[in-house]
Amino acid sequence: MNFLSRRRFILTAGAACLGGGPLGRAAGGDAKLEIEVDNGGWGKASPSDIRAIVISAADEVWPYCAGERIKPVRVYHRDDFPQTDFLHDWRGRVRIGLHSDDGHWAQMAFQFGHEFCHALAQHSAVALHGWHPPRHANLWFEESLCETSSLFVLRRLAATWQEHPPYENWRSYAPAMAKYAADRMALPEHQLPANTTFQEWFRQNEASMRANAALREKNVIVARQMLPIFEAEPAGWDAVCYLNLGAHLPGKSLVQHLAEWQTNSPAAVRPFVTKIAGLFPSAAGPGVG
């Protein structure tokens, strides 16, 4: 996903595109998540294969968002980078573009895991109540949550596909899911420097992340801290739908952003948000830009 490209939109047109279209409800509701896949661009892979991958990936997160609602998702192929479009299409569907093809199932699940997290944060029914231009100084935090989602999805699929793969002959791909996640986490640029705590590292790097939300090596370092919390309490994914309901202040501090997230989240997941917020130094710097 390219940060600058995915954030280019016309404000008035965006507001107009947010209405219309049916909404799917998560587990515990009265409708399933609707996912459609475009026909072209997938190389040797069929649209039905792509749909099986993305549904399988979504099923590792969406059931924990019980009672939430989201419009149908349209998955299409991109030749440049994956992204979740900020605007809906003419039928009111959430558009998720993937830059993957052929039989790269782990890569596809990884990309969809990231983008589906953006969809929860920006396109779920409750998120749309707080709709506003998403570019702000704490956008790096959402990007880091989405990196967490990618790793979470892959590691869960590695176990799920051992028992219940979308197709029986895909069972053998389960180890590739775990390897893709492990390889990404093992990259040198995704490690904390030697003899440096995460809080020390964060104090040194927060300003650069606030200036550029998509510094992937830093997003993954943050994601590595959050991943164990999500894996221990996957019901916390429901809180992502409430991430962007706070004050529309582009330069507000992380402390305020996290406090608003907790306040706006359902009571059941507020303790979870507290655990995530506790990863970060309480003396986070003042808002910039």
Side-chain angles (χ1 to χ4, degrees):
M1 177 193 54
N2 179 288
F3 167 72
L4 292 176
S5 296
R6 78 187 296 273
R7 305 300 169 178
R8 290 183 185 131
F9 62 94
I10 299 173
L11 184 60
T12 54
C17 288
L18 292 175
L23 289 162
R25 190 180 296 275
D30 55 10
K32 293 182 179 180
L33 176 67
E34 296 180 45
I35 299 181
E36 305 169 21
V37 175
D38 280 6
N39 288 326
W42 305 111
K44 298 177 183 178
S46 69
S48 61
D49 286 342
I50 308 305
R51 188 169 184 273
I53 292 289
V54 299
I55 287 177
S56 187
D59 278 349
E60 298 298 344
V61 172
W62 182 239
Y64 295 108
C65 303
E68 304 296 349
R69 303 175 69 192
I70 195 168
K71 295 185 178 185
V73 174
R74 172 192 169 195
V75 177
Y76 68 101
H77 181 267
R78 295 181 60 91
D79 294 326
D80 42 16
F81 44 78
Q83 77 169 29
T84 301
D85 294 356
F86 191 71
L87 302 183
H88 296 167
D89 71 8
W90 65 276
R91 289 175 54 186
R93 295 174 297 186
V94 178
R95 289 167 42 90
I96 292 179
L98 302 181
H99 179 50
S100 186
D101 53 23
D102 294 334
H104 300 137
W105 303 150
Q107 182 189 60
M108 206 165 289
F110 172 82
Q111 292 183 7
F112 187 82
H114 182 110
E115 301 305 332
F116 186 63
C117 182
H118 279 304
L120 293 179
Q122 299 177 10
H123 295 286
S124 62
V126 67
L128 293 180
H129 287 304
W131 183 86
H132 58 91
R135 186 169 183 171
H136 54 82
N138 292 299
L139 182 57
W140 65 267
F141 183 73
E142 181 179 321
E143 293 291 349
S144 299
L145 282 171
C146 294
E147 285 293 321
T148 307
S149 177
S150 289
L151 297 170
F152 177 92
V153 163
L154 284 172
R155 285 156 64 100
R156 293 283 292 242
L157 287 178
T160 299
W161 282 27
Q162 288 283 4
E163 301 296 329
H164 304 289
Y167 305 112
E168 184 56 36
N169 63 335
W170 282 11
R171 188 184 303 271
S172 61
Y173 286 103
M177 298 292 182
K179 184 177 186 301
Y180 197 105
D183 288 350
R184 185 165 180 80
M185 294 174 70
L187 290 174
E189 61 267 31
H190 296 160
Q191 315 302 313
L192 287 170
N195 302 316
T196 303
T197 68
F198 175 69
Q199 291 206 346
E200 291 170 341
W201 176 90
F202 180 74
R203 289 190 179 97
Q204 297 166 7
N205 288 274
E206 183 188 13
S208 61
M209 291 190 293
R210 289 172 69 86
N212 182 352
L215 297 174
R216 287 290 170 238
E217 70 282 2
K218 297 184 180 183
N219 295 149
V220 177
I221 288 175
V222 176
R224 285 172 58 94
Q225 311 305 308
M226 296 193 287
L227 181 61
I229 302 176
F230 274 97
E231 290 187 327
E233 301 181 44
W237 287 115
D238 190 35
V240 175
C241 300
Y242 299 81
L243 178 65
N244 293 314
L245 300 184
H248 301 179
L249 302 174
K252 68 185 174 184
S253 70
L254 176 63
V255 169
Q256 181 180 348
H257 187 53
L258 295 177
E260 291 173 341
W261 183 28
Q262 184 183 54
T263 298
N264 291 319
S265 294
V269 293
R270 286 176 193 163
F272 174 87
V273 175
T274 298
K275 292 179 182 179
I276 295 293
L279 294 170
F280 303 94
S282 58
V288 295

